[in-house]
Amino acid sequence: MTQPVLVPILGDQLSRNLASLRGRTKDDTVILMMEVWEEATYVRHHKQKIALIFSAMRHFAAELRDAGWTVDYTRLDDEDNSQSFTGEVARAVERHDPREIHVVEAGEWRVQQAIEEWADKFDCAVTVLPDDRYLCSIADFREWAEHRGSLRMETFYREMRRRTGLLMTGDGKPEGGEWNYDKENRKPPADEMEPPPRPTFPPDAMTDEVIAIVESRFGDHFGSLEDFGWPVTREEAQVAADVFFAERIERFGPYQDAMVTGEDQLYHSMLSTSINLGLLDPMELCRRAQQALHDGKAPINSVEGFIRQIIGWREYVRGFYWFHMPGLQTANALEAHRPLPEFYWTGETEMACMADCVRSTRDNAHAHHIQRLMVLGNFALLAGIHPQDVQDWYLVVYADAYEWVELPNVSAMILYADGGKLATKPYAASGNYINKMSDYCGSCTYSPHKKTGEGACPFNPLYWHFMTRHRDRLESNHRVGRIYANWDRMDEEKQQAYLTSAEAILETLEPASGWARNI
C-alpha cells in the first residue's frame, strides 16, 4: 500500500456510516482503533461501561476486517501501548507513514483539544470532519443560539421537527395538533403495569475476554459485571430496538416518569448506550417510532415523547455543551461546596428511594431519567453538593454517560449550576413528588407526610433549607417566586423546625473518599 490515509475511530464512533469512512476506498485506508488506559481512568468508570465500550470496539473492528478494511487495533494490554489517543496516533504514524489523517470530531471537549494539536505534532495533513451522525451540527446550534436571550429546548425541538419532518402534517403543523404531549406522560405506578423483561445478550468469547481484563485491571472501580448483558454489536442493538418497538413503546410514554422498587427498566427503551456508541442510527429509530404510530401500535404521546428525547433533548444538550464549554465544567452559580456523600457509592442509606436508585446504578450501570433527575439529582441539589463531585459521579456510573450529554444534564439541568441558562428553574422537590411517582415511600424508614423531626422524609426539610438559602436568587423567578409566599405564611417556630431538621440531616452526610477520580 502506498502512503495511506489513516482514519482513527474513537470508542463512541462505531458506525459504518462515519464521515471519515464515507467515500474512502479499502485499498488506501488504514483504520486505527485503540483501547487506552487514559480514557478508562480519567474518571474511574463503572466496570460495565468499560467492558461495554471495549467489547463494542473489538466487535466493530472484527466487522470492519470481515468487510475487507485494514484495521490497526491497539488492545489495552499491548506491551507498547502508550495508553493515550495522541500517543497511539503517533505510533500509527510511524508504522504507516500516512499522507493524511482523517478523523471525525470528538464528542468530548478534552479529546477534541488533543485532536486539534495533531496537525502540529505529525508530519502529515490532518482533516477533522464534523460528526454528521447528529442532526444539528455544532455550527448550526451556535448560529441558532448566539443571538437568543434564552435557549429554550422546546423552541429548538420545534425547529428540529420542522427540519426532519417527523410527526408533521403536509401543511407544516404537528400531528395530533400538539407539539408536546408531556402532560400525558406523567402517570404514577399502577397495578396494571406488567413491563416485559429487558432483552439481554449473553457475553460471547470476545466479551468474556474483555470482562476478564476489566475485572483484572479495574477491579476496584464501581459497579458489578455479574449481569452484563448490553448489546455490543449493531445486530444485537437492532434486536433490542425490535423488542422495544414490539413490546414497550405503547406504555413508554405514560409511565416514563414512574419509579418502582426493583423494576429497573419498566417500559424504557434501554437504547441510549447503543445510540451513543454509534451502533444505532437516531433518525432510523425516530422513523420506526413514527411508523408505530401510523400502524396503530403506539399512541401519539408515547411516540412524541420518544422522538422528543432524541431529536429534541439529545440534540439540544449536545449543542448546549459545545456552546458553553469549557466554562460549564466549573460553573457553580449556587455556590454549592458540600462533598458527595458516601452513600452515592455504597447505597447504604435508610432513604428507600436513594438506596434503590444506587443499587440499580451499581448493578446495571443504568437508572432511568426520573431516578437520575428527581431522586439522585434532587438530593444533590437540595443538599448543596459540589457540582464537580456530582458531575464526576454521573460520568462514572452510567454506561451511556459521555461528557457532552452528562455535563449539561447534571450541571445545568439537575444542579442549576449554570444559573438558569438551560433550565427555567431548579428542579427542586420535596418528598411528595417521590411519593406520588413511586412506590418507594411505602417501604421507607421515613415518611413523606412527616415534615420535620425524627422520621421525616429528608427531602422535606432539605427542600425548604434549599429554598431559603437561595431566596435572593430565586424569588424573582416567575416559576419559583410564589413558593416563598407559602414559606412566609408559616409561623417562625415551623420555619425553624424545617431549618433545624435540615441542618441535622446535613451533619450526618459522610463524605465519599476517592471513588470517582484517582486521588
Side-chain angles (χ1 to χ4, degrees):
M1 183 186 294
T2 58
Q3 279 187 299
V5 171
L6 183 68
V7 178
I9 294 180
L10 307 182
D12 59 350
Q13 298 177 348
L14 310 183
S15 170
R16 293 282 290 273
N17 193 38
L18 198 66
S20 54
L21 289 177
R22 202 180 309 129
R24 297 241 41 84
T25 59
K26 296 172 184 177
D27 59 356
D28 77 337
T29 301
V30 172
I31 294 170
L32 174 66
M33 298 181 68
M34 46 220 155
E35 301 168 4
V36 295
W37 183 267
E38 183 177 77
E39 291 305 301
T41 58
Y42 72 92
V43 293
R44 294 162 56 87
H45 298 286
H46 194 297
K47 285 185 277 190
Q48 283 195 33
K49 183 179 182 181
I50 300 173
L52 168 64
I53 295 173
F54 284 177
S55 177
M57 288 172 63
R58 293 188 183 192
H59 281 87
F60 186 65
E63 177 188 328
L64 291 172
R65 288 192 183 108
D66 288 345
W69 293 92
T70 300
V71 181
D72 184 351
Y73 194 98
T74 304
R75 292 165 51 118
L76 186 77
D77 52 1
D78 285 351
E79 183 177 348
D80 296 325
N81 190 335
S82 67
Q83 304 298 349
S84 76
F85 283 149
T86 297
E88 286 312 290
V89 173
R91 292 205 308 129
V93 167
E94 290 182 8
R95 288 193 296 271
H96 302 290
D97 187 25
R99 67 179 187 272
E100 198 169 351
I101 296 172
H102 284 190
V103 63
V104 169
E105 63 192 359
E108 300 192 347
W109 174 270
R110 62 187 175 77
V111 179
Q112 185 61 26
Q113 303 316 296
I115 288 174
E116 289 177 2
E117 295 176 357
W118 290 358
D120 294 329
K121 290 181 180 292
F122 307 129
D123 292 329
C124 62
V126 177
T127 300
V128 182
L129 301 165
D131 192 344
D132 56 12
R133 296 174 302 161
Y134 294 92
L135 305 175
C136 180
S137 70
I138 294 170
D140 282 353
F141 187 92
R142 182 171 296 278
E143 183 179 349
W144 175 82
E146 264 180 339
H147 304 298
R148 292 177 181 270
S150 63
L151 306 182
R152 293 189 65 233
M153 194 283 286
E154 183 67 23
T155 304
F156 174 81
Y157 168 56
R158 293 185 185 190
E159 292 196 18
M160 293 299 291
R161 286 271 294 275
R162 294 186 185 99
R163 179 187 296 191
T164 61
L166 289 165
L167 296 182
M168 299 296 292
T169 63
D171 58 357
K173 295 181 180 179
E175 280 196 47
E178 301 288 341
W179 289 99
N180 185 316
Y181 289 84
D182 196 42
K183 61 182 180 297
E184 297 180 24
N185 289 345
R186 299 171 184 167
K187 285 189 176 182
D191 292 339
E192 78 263 17
M193 290 174 63
E194 295 182 2
R198 161 200 174 192
T200 57
F201 303 88
D204 61 9
M206 189 178 290
T207 302
D208 278 336
E209 184 179 15
V210 170
I211 287 173
I213 290 172
V214 174
E215 286 285 25
S216 171
R217 294 179 176 246
F218 308 101
D220 60 346
H221 282 217
F222 178 74
S224 168
L225 282 164
E226 288 182 13
D227 297 320
F228 184 92
W230 293 105
V232 296
T233 65
R234 175 170 170 80
E235 182 180 28
E236 289 179 345
Q238 288 283 19
V239 171
D242 291 345
V243 172
F244 171 66
F245 288 115
E247 300 179 359
R248 307 164 89 90
I249 191 172
E250 181 180 3
R251 291 193 164 192
F252 161 75
Y255 295 112
Q256 68 175 333
D257 289 1
M259 298 175 283
V260 179
T261 305
E263 290 282 355
D264 298 337
Q265 291 87 38
L266 292 177
Y267 299 99
H268 291 270
S269 75
M270 305 298 290
L271 299 178
S272 58
T273 55
S274 297
I275 297 171
N276 290 352
L277 281 169
L279 301 179
L280 291 176
D281 182 324
M283 267 301 289
E284 183 180 311
L285 294 173
C286 289
R287 292 190 188 103
R288 290 191 66 178
Q290 180 173 258
Q291 192 61 48
L293 171 67
H294 295 164
D295 291 344
K297 295 179 179 178
I300 193 167
N301 55 304
S302 286
V303 170
E304 186 277 320
F306 180 79
I307 288 174
R308 176 161 29 93
Q309 285 192 0
I310 293 179
I311 70 166
W313 191 250
R314 182 175 187 268
E315 294 282 338
Y316 173 80
V317 298
R318 188 228 183 196
F320 187 93
Y321 169 80
W322 285 100
F323 188 68
H324 287 290
M325 285 296 284
L328 196 58
Q329 291 175 320
T330 55
N332 191 2
L334 298 184
E335 298 182 359
H337 296 291
R338 194 176 306 279
L340 188 79
E342 182 75 6
F343 61 68
Y344 272 81
W345 300 109
T346 65
E348 295 174 2
T349 171
E350 292 184 343
M351 289 180 284
C353 58
M354 293 291 292
D356 192 61
C357 291
V358 172
R359 175 205 56 77
S360 178
T361 300
R362 179 190 63 237
D363 294 349
N364 307 312
H366 176 267
H368 73 66
H369 68 288
I370 292 298
Q371 292 171 315
R372 299 190 201 193
L373 173 64
M374 299 307 299
V375 178
L376 299 161
N378 186 27
F379 189 91
L381 172 69
L382 299 181
I385 309 303
H386 195 286
Q388 185 68 64
D389 283 7
V390 187
Q391 292 157 16
D392 282 353
W393 186 82
Y394 277 84
L395 190 56
V396 164
V397 302
Y398 293 119
D400 58 359
Y402 300 84
E403 191 183 67
W404 67 264
V405 66
E406 170 273 325
L407 188 56
N409 273 291
V410 174
S411 175
M413 182 72 171
I414 290 175
L415 300 178
Y416 206 69
D418 69 338
K421 294 182 178 69
L422 186 151
T424 55
K425 70 178 184 66
Y427 278 81
S430 68
N432 181 58
Y433 177 87
I434 297 169
N435 186 40
K436 175 185 176 184
M437 296 305 300
S438 77
D439 69 348
Y440 291 141
C441 301
S443 60
C444 189
T445 300
Y446 304 105
S447 170
H449 307 298
K450 197 169 191 309
K451 307 302 183 183
T452 61
E454 186 176 355
C457 171
F459 285 87
N460 290 336
L462 287 176
Y463 172 82
W464 283 115
H465 193 277
F466 171 84
M467 296 304 297
T468 56
R469 71 177 185 265
H470 296 299
R471 184 166 189 164
D472 288 349
R473 172 182 288 274
L474 299 178
E475 191 169 21
S476 60
N477 185 308
H478 72 281
R479 297 192 65 193
V480 179
R482 63 182 181 276
I483 292 171
Y484 290 102
N486 297 332
W487 174 257
D488 291 339
R489 281 194 292 270
M490 298 179 197
D491 60 46
E492 187 176 347
E493 183 178 355
K494 187 174 183 179
Q495 290 177 341
Q496 191 58 50
Y498 273 118
L499 300 180
T500 301
S501 295
E503 288 290 348
I505 292 164
L506 294 172
E507 288 176 7
T508 69
L509 300 182
E510 181 181 350
S513 53
W515 278 94
R517 293 182 181 263
N518 291 306
I519 58 175

